[in-house]
Amino acid sequence: MAIASYNHKLNQLIKTDVKGQICDRTFIAHYHIPAADAIAADTDYILASTVLGEGVTTIAAEDIDAQPLTPRVVTITGNAATVAGNVELKGKDANKNEITDTIAANGAATVEGTKAFAELTEIKLPAAVDAADEISVGISDAFGIPYKLPYNTVFAILNNATPTSVASSNFSITDLSANYINPTAALAGKDIDVYLLV
């Protein structure tokens, strides 16, 4: 069993070459996601395309098709240009804290949320505009990291290959679920190694 020897939040200091001047000590963390958990983005992974009703449709936890294998940012996708309204998501972050996200449907477009869910416990779908309107819920390429960061200190490698840059990433010093990175190279069942300064 590995022992965590360091706590990056203890405000540890190191000397500099300037007398009387000190700096915060920074640690390099390595976070690994195995290929089996780094599956490709999938627009109906969490909930298959579901016909919208006359009012709000509530999907309970037991009716959700699948859960993220590692914290992932959720997406919604409509089946037609008429699809509109808010999809309300409830679930938990990697620390099992309850979180919510609201994603506005935009016709047949795939729209990403702003939180990395480790688990979904409830989904509320909006009322239909047209009787044939449907919405599916899936996962994006964006995945959560196990740190609260004030800004981007991340360096990512996919499939033991060339480092990848990140796009549409987000960082928060207060909300764990709002810390996620979205590599420009698509996830496709490839090992992910993330190196970051904490």
Side-chain angles (χ1 to χ4, degrees), residues 39-48 64-69 136-139:
I39 61 175
D42 187 337
T43 58
D44 63 356
Y45 180 82
I46 291 171
L47 183 69
I64 291 172
D65 295 329
Q67 297 290 347
L69 299 176
S136 63
V137 181
I139 52 174

Side-chain angles (χ1 to χ4, degrees), residues 45-70:
Y45 180 82
I46 291 171
L47 183 69
S49 194
T50 301
V51 177
L52 304 183
E54 294 182 359
V56 172
T57 300
T58 300
I59 310 297
E62 59 267 24
D63 297 317
I64 291 172
D65 295 329
Q67 297 290 347
L69 299 176
T70 192

Side-chain angles (χ1 to χ4, degrees), residues 153-174:
T153 67
V154 175
F155 176 83
I157 298 174
L158 269 64
N159 203 29
N160 302 316
T162 305
T164 180
S165 58
V166 295
S168 304
S169 300
N170 196 75
F171 304 95
S172 169
I173 197 66
T174 57

Side-chain angles (χ1 to χ4, degrees), residues 5-6 50 59 75 90 107 111 120 137 145 194:
S5 304
Y6 301 102
T50 301
I59 310 297
T75 65
K90 291 184 180 180
V111 186
L120 278 296
V137 181
I145 56 175
V194 178

